Amino acid sequence: MTCRQAGGIDFYDDLRMPLQWQNRPQRVKASVKTRNRENNLVAVFETGGSKVQIPIHQKIAVNTFDKANTAPEVYQQLFADHRDVYHNFIPIFTDGSKSSLSTSFACVFNNSTLSFQIHSSSSIFTAEITAILHALSEISSGPPDNFIIYSDSLSALESMTSLHRFSHPLTFNILELHDHLTFKGFSILLCWIPSHVGIPGNELADNLAKSATINLNSPVPVKDVKNYIKSILHSKWQA
């Protein structure tokens, strides 16, 4: 994966998988959705000849609940029950935000937080993926431990279970870093949670993402740039 600059925007000039993945198509071909003994959805892919599993827990607020007709307290209790089961995993909350003026993300750790703005042409999906990647990057400098990353972006989590040639470039970065951390002794789970139901960590991440002011120089996928240009042209056409 390479980056170029045009019009002041650093962008990935190829949205397809990085070259090191293109040379090993069996990695992507082996990517499947399955469930482990705990009934967690996991992404399975090959790397270096061995299979790697990324657990993506999806038991929080299962589809049997109609969010529009379910009290937030129900989801809060579900989350509390989940934390009781995974009490030995350190929680991290991530979130992305996009408005007409900016795109940003935030990560909430036990004792610290971080939030950044990325280029406004970036999609909300890119913001969500970037948040997860930064969460992994932050914990990589510390000692191995058990972590669980909570995200309210189901599309971001599911993107890691269905890799293909045109997957988001940062998805591959997440998988590579997750593999590296697992090799070092980390145990990392990814878990979907519903948004705006009063889960404190998620609410804080949401607020921090919306109020982020520090700019992060992060490349933008070509697809995002194209959509950004289309939206500008569309707005001018309507004016």
Side-chain angles (χ1 to χ4, degrees):
M1 186 191 329
T2 57
C3 297
R4 295 182 182 179
Q5 187 177 73
I9 303 176
D10 291 322
F11 64 92
Y12 296 105
D13 67 351
D14 190 351
L15 191 61
R16 296 172 296 175
M17 71 180 78
L19 288 175
Q20 65 267 32
W21 287 68
Q22 292 182 27
N23 294 333
R24 295 183 176 88
Q26 70 274 14
R27 287 185 173 184
V28 176
K29 187 178 295 185
S31 176
V32 297
K33 294 180 183 179
T34 185
R35 291 186 180 274
N36 59 14
R37 287 179 298 178
E38 291 76 28
N39 198 36
N40 293 342
L41 185 67
V42 297
V44 181
F45 68 101
E46 285 191 7
T47 176
S50 61
K51 287 186 177 180
V52 177
Q53 293 189 359
I54 296 185
I56 300 178
H57 193 93
Q58 288 186 303
K59 289 184 178 178
I60 298 297
V62 292
N63 293 334
T64 51
F65 291 90
D66 179 7
K67 187 175 180 181
N69 298 309
T70 303
E73 290 77 13
V74 174
Y75 295 114
Q76 293 167 20
Q77 185 58 55
L78 285 170
F79 179 74
D81 294 342
H82 182 271
R83 288 302 305 149
D84 285 341
V85 175
Y86 291 90
H87 62 274
N88 59 327
F89 280 77
I90 301 171
I92 302 172
F93 297 87
T94 65
D95 200 16
S97 176
K98 184 170 180 63
S99 67
S100 59
L101 299 176
S102 64
T103 307
S104 53
F105 72 91
C107 303
V108 174
F109 305 90
N110 269 353
N111 300 311
S112 63
T113 63
L114 61 83
S115 59
F116 294 100
Q117 284 190 4
I118 55 180
H119 196 275
S120 58
S121 65
S122 300
S123 65
I124 181 62
F125 184 84
T126 294
E128 298 281 6
I129 285 286
T130 302
I132 295 173
L133 179 59
H134 268 260
L136 291 174
S137 297
E138 283 294 306
I139 64 176
S140 67
S141 59
D145 212 326
N146 300 326
F147 293 92
I148 184 164
I149 298 176
Y150 293 103
S151 170
D152 61 20
S153 176
L154 189 58
S155 60
L157 297 179
E158 288 188 334
S159 71
M160 300 173 212
T161 70
S162 55
L163 295 177
H164 51 80
R165 295 183 67 243
F166 298 98
S167 291
H168 194 288
L170 294 185
T171 300
F172 295 97
N173 291 2
I174 289 174
L175 296 178
E176 292 283 10
L177 182 51
H178 184 282
D179 183 29
H180 173 69
L181 293 176
T182 300
F183 180 78
K184 289 177 61 177
F186 285 78
S187 181
I188 302 170
L189 299 178
L190 301 176
C191 179
W192 176 78
I193 53 175
S195 60
H196 309 300
V197 294
I199 297 175
N202 176 254
E203 296 293 335
L204 179 56
D206 178 67
N207 291 331
L208 288 172
K210 290 177 178 177
S211 61
T213 57
I214 301 175
N215 290 313
L216 178 69
N217 185 18
S218 178
V220 183
V222 168
K223 184 177 180 180
D224 288 0
V225 176
K226 289 181 178 178
N227 289 336
Y228 179 68
I229 294 173
K230 286 181 181 178
S231 66
I232 292 177
L233 294 177
H234 183 69
S235 297
K236 290 185 176 180
W237 179 79
Q238 287 185 323

Short mmCIF file of all heavy atoms in Angstrom, two decimals, residues 50-87:
data_model
loop_
_atom_site.label_atom_id
_atom_site.label_comp_id
_atom_site.label_asym_id
_atom_site.label_seq_id
_atom_site.Cartn_x
_atom_site.Cartn_y
_atom_site.Cartn_z
N SER A 50 0.05 -20.00 9.13
CA SER A 50 -0.77 -20.41 10.27
C SER A 50 -2.06 -19.60 10.30
O SER A 50 -2.13 -18.49 9.80
CB SER A 50 -0.01 -20.18 11.58
OG SER A 50 0.31 -18.81 11.73
N LYS A 51 -3.10 -20.19 10.89
CA LYS A 51 -4.39 -19.52 10.95
C LYS A 51 -4.47 -18.65 12.20
O LYS A 51 -4.05 -19.03 13.27
CB LYS A 51 -5.53 -20.54 10.96
CG LYS A 51 -5.74 -21.21 9.59
CD LYS A 51 -6.97 -22.09 9.61
CE LYS A 51 -7.22 -22.68 8.23
NZ LYS A 51 -8.42 -23.56 8.22
N VAL A 52 -5.00 -17.45 12.01
CA VAL A 52 -5.17 -16.50 13.12
C VAL A 52 -6.65 -16.21 13.27
O VAL A 52 -7.36 -16.01 12.28
CB VAL A 52 -4.40 -15.19 12.84
CG1 VAL A 52 -4.66 -14.19 13.96
CG2 VAL A 52 -2.92 -15.47 12.73
N GLN A 53 -7.14 -16.20 14.49
CA GLN A 53 -8.54 -15.90 14.76
C GLN A 53 -8.65 -14.58 15.50
O GLN A 53 -7.92 -14.34 16.45
CB GLN A 53 -9.21 -17.00 15.59
CG GLN A 53 -9.34 -18.32 14.87
CD GLN A 53 -10.21 -19.29 15.65
OE1 GLN A 53 -10.69 -18.99 16.73
NE2 GLN A 53 -10.39 -20.48 15.09
N ILE A 54 -9.55 -13.72 15.05
CA ILE A 54 -9.87 -12.49 15.76
C ILE A 54 -11.30 -12.61 16.26
O ILE A 54 -12.24 -12.56 15.48
CB ILE A 54 -9.72 -11.25 14.86
CG1 ILE A 54 -8.25 -11.09 14.45
CG2 ILE A 54 -10.20 -10.01 15.59
CD1 ILE A 54 -7.98 -9.83 13.67
N PRO A 55 -11.48 -12.81 17.57
CA PRO A 55 -12.84 -12.94 18.09
C PRO A 55 -13.59 -11.62 17.99
O PRO A 55 -13.09 -10.57 18.39
CB PRO A 55 -12.61 -13.33 19.56
CG PRO A 55 -11.19 -13.80 19.64
CD PRO A 55 -10.46 -13.01 18.60
N ILE A 56 -14.78 -11.67 17.43
CA ILE A 56 -15.65 -10.50 17.35
C ILE A 56 -16.94 -10.84 18.07
O ILE A 56 -17.82 -11.48 17.52
CB ILE A 56 -15.92 -10.09 15.89
CG1 ILE A 56 -14.58 -9.76 15.20
CG2 ILE A 56 -16.85 -8.90 15.81
CD1 ILE A 56 -14.73 -9.39 13.76
N HIS A 57 -17.01 -10.48 19.31
CA HIS A 57 -18.13 -10.86 20.16
C HIS A 57 -19.35 -10.03 19.78
O HIS A 57 -19.28 -8.82 19.69
CB HIS A 57 -17.77 -10.61 21.63
CG HIS A 57 -18.72 -11.25 22.58
ND1 HIS A 57 -18.50 -12.50 23.09
CD2 HIS A 57 -19.90 -10.84 23.11
CE1 HIS A 57 -19.50 -12.81 23.91
NE2 HIS A 57 -20.35 -11.81 23.93
N GLN A 58 -20.50 -10.69 19.59
CA GLN A 58 -21.69 -9.97 19.16
C GLN A 58 -22.91 -10.29 20.02
O GLN A 58 -24.02 -10.34 19.53
CB GLN A 58 -22.00 -10.28 17.69
CG GLN A 58 -21.02 -9.64 16.73
CD GLN A 58 -21.44 -9.82 15.30
OE1 GLN A 58 -21.62 -10.93 14.84
NE2 GLN A 58 -21.60 -8.73 14.60
N LYS A 59 -22.70 -10.51 21.28
CA LYS A 59 -23.81 -10.87 22.15
C LYS A 59 -24.47 -9.66 22.81
O LYS A 59 -25.49 -9.79 23.47
CB LYS A 59 -23.35 -11.85 23.22
CG LYS A 59 -23.03 -13.24 22.67
CD LYS A 59 -22.67 -14.21 23.78
CE LYS A 59 -22.40 -15.60 23.23
NZ LYS A 59 -22.01 -16.55 24.29
N ILE A 60 -23.86 -8.49 22.67
CA ILE A 60 -24.45 -7.30 23.27
C ILE A 60 -25.61 -6.84 22.41
O ILE A 60 -25.46 -6.56 21.23
CB ILE A 60 -23.41 -6.16 23.39
CG1 ILE A 60 -22.27 -6.59 24.31
CG2 ILE A 60 -24.06 -4.90 23.94
CD1 ILE A 60 -22.66 -6.88 25.73
N ALA A 61 -26.76 -6.71 23.00
CA ALA A 61 -27.96 -6.22 22.29
C ALA A 61 -28.20 -6.98 21.00
O ALA A 61 -28.12 -6.43 19.91
CB ALA A 61 -27.83 -4.72 22.02
N VAL A 62 -28.47 -8.24 21.12
CA VAL A 62 -28.71 -9.08 19.95
C VAL A 62 -29.97 -8.61 19.23
O VAL A 62 -30.76 -7.83 19.74
CB VAL A 62 -28.85 -10.56 20.36
CG1 VAL A 62 -27.52 -11.10 20.85
CG2 VAL A 62 -29.93 -10.72 21.43
N ASN A 63 -30.16 -9.11 18.04
CA ASN A 63 -31.23 -8.62 17.17
C ASN A 63 -32.63 -8.89 17.68
O ASN A 63 -33.61 -8.46 17.08
CB ASN A 63 -31.07 -9.21 15.77
CG ASN A 63 -29.82 -8.69 15.07
OD1 ASN A 63 -29.36 -7.60 15.38
ND2 ASN A 63 -29.28 -9.46 14.16
N THR A 64 -32.75 -9.67 18.78
CA THR A 64 -34.09 -9.92 19.33
C THR A 64 -34.65 -8.67 19.99
O THR A 64 -35.83 -8.64 20.33
CB THR A 64 -34.03 -11.05 20.36
OG1 THR A 64 -33.01 -10.77 21.32
CG2 THR A 64 -33.72 -12.38 19.68
N PHE A 65 -33.80 -7.65 20.16
CA PHE A 65 -34.25 -6.40 20.76
C PHE A 65 -34.49 -5.35 19.68
O PHE A 65 -33.65 -5.17 18.80
CB PHE A 65 -33.21 -5.86 21.76
CG PHE A 65 -33.09 -6.70 23.00
CD1 PHE A 65 -32.19 -7.76 23.06
CD2 PHE A 65 -33.87 -6.44 24.12
CE1 PHE A 65 -32.06 -8.53 24.19
CE2 PHE A 65 -33.76 -7.21 25.25
CZ PHE A 65 -32.86 -8.26 25.30
N ASP A 66 -35.63 -4.70 19.75
CA ASP A 66 -35.95 -3.60 18.85
C ASP A 66 -35.50 -2.32 19.55
O ASP A 66 -36.12 -1.89 20.53
CB ASP A 66 -37.45 -3.56 18.56
CG ASP A 66 -37.83 -2.41 17.65
OD1 ASP A 66 -36.92 -1.73 17.15
OD2 ASP A 66 -39.04 -2.17 17.46
N LYS A 67 -34.42 -1.73 19.04
CA LYS A 67 -33.82 -0.59 19.74
C LYS A 67 -34.80 0.55 19.95
O LYS A 67 -34.81 1.20 20.99
CB LYS A 67 -32.59 -0.09 18.96
CG LYS A 67 -31.81 0.99 19.71
CD LYS A 67 -30.55 1.38 18.96
CE LYS A 67 -29.79 2.46 19.71
NZ LYS A 67 -28.56 2.87 18.98
N ALA A 68 -35.68 0.79 18.97
CA ALA A 68 -36.63 1.90 19.07
C ALA A 68 -37.62 1.70 20.21
O ALA A 68 -38.15 2.67 20.76
CB ALA A 68 -37.38 2.07 17.75
N ASN A 69 -37.86 0.45 20.57
CA ASN A 69 -38.86 0.15 21.60
C ASN A 69 -38.25 -0.49 22.84
O ASN A 69 -38.97 -1.10 23.64
CB ASN A 69 -39.95 -0.76 21.03
CG ASN A 69 -40.69 -0.11 19.88
OD1 ASN A 69 -41.16 1.02 20.00
ND2 ASN A 69 -40.79 -0.81 18.76
N THR A 70 -36.94 -0.36 22.99
CA THR A 70 -36.26 -0.95 24.14
C THR A 70 -35.63 0.14 24.99
O THR A 70 -34.93 1.01 24.47
CB THR A 70 -35.15 -1.93 23.68
OG1 THR A 70 -35.74 -2.93 22.84
CG2 THR A 70 -34.49 -2.60 24.87
N ALA A 71 -35.91 0.12 26.27
CA ALA A 71 -35.39 1.13 27.19
C ALA A 71 -33.86 1.02 27.26
O ALA A 71 -33.31 -0.08 27.25
CB ALA A 71 -35.99 0.94 28.57
N PRO A 72 -33.16 2.15 27.33
CA PRO A 72 -31.69 2.13 27.43
C PRO A 72 -31.20 1.28 28.60
O PRO A 72 -30.13 0.68 28.53
CB PRO A 72 -31.33 3.61 27.63
CG PRO A 72 -32.45 4.35 26.98
CD PRO A 72 -33.68 3.53 27.26
N GLU A 73 -31.99 1.22 29.68
CA GLU A 73 -31.58 0.45 30.85
C GLU A 73 -31.39 -1.03 30.53
O GLU A 73 -30.58 -1.72 31.16
CB GLU A 73 -32.61 0.60 31.97
CG GLU A 73 -32.66 1.97 32.62
CD GLU A 73 -33.37 3.01 31.77
OE1 GLU A 73 -34.05 2.61 30.79
OE2 GLU A 73 -33.26 4.22 32.08
N VAL A 74 -32.14 -1.52 29.54
CA VAL A 74 -32.00 -2.92 29.14
C VAL A 74 -30.61 -3.16 28.56
O VAL A 74 -29.91 -4.12 28.92
CB VAL A 74 -33.09 -3.31 28.12
CG1 VAL A 74 -32.84 -4.73 27.59
CG2 VAL A 74 -34.47 -3.21 28.75
N TYR A 75 -30.19 -2.27 27.67
CA TYR A 75 -28.87 -2.40 27.06
C TYR A 75 -27.77 -2.18 28.09
O TYR A 75 -26.73 -2.84 28.04
CB TYR A 75 -28.72 -1.40 25.91
CG TYR A 75 -29.65 -1.67 24.76
CD1 TYR A 75 -30.67 -0.77 24.44
CD2 TYR A 75 -29.52 -2.81 23.99
CE1 TYR A 75 -31.52 -1.01 23.38
CE2 TYR A 75 -30.36 -3.06 22.92
CZ TYR A 75 -31.37 -2.16 22.62
OH TYR A 75 -32.21 -2.40 21.57
N GLN A 76 -28.01 -1.26 29.01
CA GLN A 76 -27.02 -1.02 30.05
C GLN A 76 -26.82 -2.26 30.92
O GLN A 76 -25.70 -2.59 31.31
CB GLN A 76 -27.46 0.18 30.90
CG GLN A 76 -27.44 1.50 30.15
CD GLN A 76 -28.17 2.61 30.89
OE1 GLN A 76 -28.39 2.52 32.10
NE2 GLN A 76 -28.56 3.64 30.16
N GLN A 77 -27.91 -2.97 31.20
CA GLN A 77 -27.81 -4.18 32.00
C GLN A 77 -27.11 -5.30 31.21
O GLN A 77 -26.31 -6.06 31.75
CB GLN A 77 -29.20 -4.65 32.44
CG GLN A 77 -29.17 -5.86 33.38
CD GLN A 77 -28.36 -5.58 34.64
OE1 GLN A 77 -28.63 -4.60 35.35
NE2 GLN A 77 -27.38 -6.42 34.92
N LEU A 78 -27.43 -5.38 29.91
CA LEU A 78 -26.75 -6.36 29.06
C LEU A 78 -25.25 -6.12 29.05
O LEU A 78 -24.44 -7.05 29.12
CB LEU A 78 -27.30 -6.29 27.64
CG LEU A 78 -28.68 -6.91 27.39
CD1 LEU A 78 -29.16 -6.55 25.99
CD2 LEU A 78 -28.64 -8.42 27.55
N PHE A 79 -24.89 -4.83 28.97
CA PHE A 79 -23.46 -4.50 28.97
C PHE A 79 -22.83 -4.83 30.32
O PHE A 79 -21.71 -5.36 30.37
CB PHE A 79 -23.26 -3.03 28.65
CG PHE A 79 -21.82 -2.60 28.64
CD1 PHE A 79 -20.98 -2.97 27.60
CD2 PHE A 79 -21.29 -1.85 29.68
CE1 PHE A 79 -19.64 -2.60 27.59
CE2 PHE A 79 -19.95 -1.48 29.68
CZ PHE A 79 -19.13 -1.85 28.64
N ALA A 80 -23.54 -4.53 31.40
CA ALA A 80 -23.02 -4.84 32.74
C ALA A 80 -22.81 -6.34 32.90
O ALA A 80 -21.80 -6.79 33.47
CB ALA A 80 -23.99 -4.31 33.80
N ASP A 81 -23.75 -7.12 32.39
CA ASP A 81 -23.61 -8.58 32.45
C ASP A 81 -22.41 -9.04 31.63
O ASP A 81 -21.68 -9.95 32.03
CB ASP A 81 -24.88 -9.25 31.91
CG ASP A 81 -26.10 -8.99 32.79
OD1 ASP A 81 -25.91 -8.60 33.96
OD2 ASP A 81 -27.23 -9.18 32.30
N HIS A 82 -22.22 -8.40 30.49
CA HIS A 82 -21.08 -8.74 29.64
C HIS A 82 -19.77 -8.44 30.35
O HIS A 82 -18.83 -9.23 30.30
CB HIS A 82 -21.17 -7.95 28.33
CG HIS A 82 -20.07 -8.27 27.36
ND1 HIS A 82 -18.87 -7.60 27.37
CD2 HIS A 82 -19.99 -9.19 26.36
CE1 HIS A 82 -18.10 -8.08 26.41
NE2 HIS A 82 -18.75 -9.03 25.78
N ARG A 83 -19.71 -7.30 31.02
CA ARG A 83 -18.50 -6.93 31.75
C ARG A 83 -18.23 -7.89 32.91
O ARG A 83 -17.08 -8.17 33.24
CB ARG A 83 -18.61 -5.49 32.28
CG ARG A 83 -18.51 -4.42 31.23
CD ARG A 83 -17.21 -4.49 30.43
NE ARG A 83 -16.04 -4.46 31.29
CZ ARG A 83 -14.89 -5.06 31.02
NH1 ARG A 83 -14.75 -5.77 29.91
NH2 ARG A 83 -13.88 -4.97 31.85
N ASP A 84 -19.28 -8.41 33.52
CA ASP A 84 -19.10 -9.39 34.59
C ASP A 84 -18.42 -10.65 34.06
O ASP A 84 -17.55 -11.23 34.71
CB ASP A 84 -20.45 -9.77 35.21
CG ASP A 84 -21.01 -8.68 36.11
OD1 ASP A 84 -20.22 -7.81 36.55
OD2 ASP A 84 -22.22 -8.69 36.38
N VAL A 85 -18.82 -11.05 32.86
CA VAL A 85 -18.23 -12.24 32.25
C VAL A 85 -16.79 -11.99 31.83
O VAL A 85 -15.91 -12.84 32.01
CB VAL A 85 -19.07 -12.70 31.04
CG1 VAL A 85 -18.38 -13.87 30.32
CG2 VAL A 85 -20.47 -13.10 31.48
N TYR A 86 -16.53 -10.79 31.29
CA TYR A 86 -15.20 -10.45 30.79
C TYR A 86 -14.50 -9.44 31.70
O TYR A 86 -13.84 -8.53 31.22
CB TYR A 86 -15.32 -9.91 29.35
CG TYR A 86 -15.72 -10.97 28.36
CD1 TYR A 86 -17.07 -11.22 28.09
CD2 TYR A 86 -14.77 -11.76 27.72
CE1 TYR A 86 -17.45 -12.20 27.20
CE2 TYR A 86 -15.14 -12.75 26.83
CZ TYR A 86 -16.48 -12.97 26.58
OH TYR A 86 -16.85 -13.95 25.70
N HIS A 87 -14.65 -9.64 32.99
CA HIS A 87 -14.07 -8.70 33.96
C HIS A 87 -12.55 -8.69 33.93
O HIS A 87 -11.92 -7.72 34.36
CB HIS A 87 -14.55 -9.04 35.37
CG HIS A 87 -14.12 -10.42 35.83
ND1 HIS A 87 -14.84 -11.55 35.53
CD2 HIS A 87 -13.03 -10.83 36.54
CE1 HIS A 87 -14.24 -12.61 36.05
NE2 HIS A 87 -13.14 -12.20 36.65
#
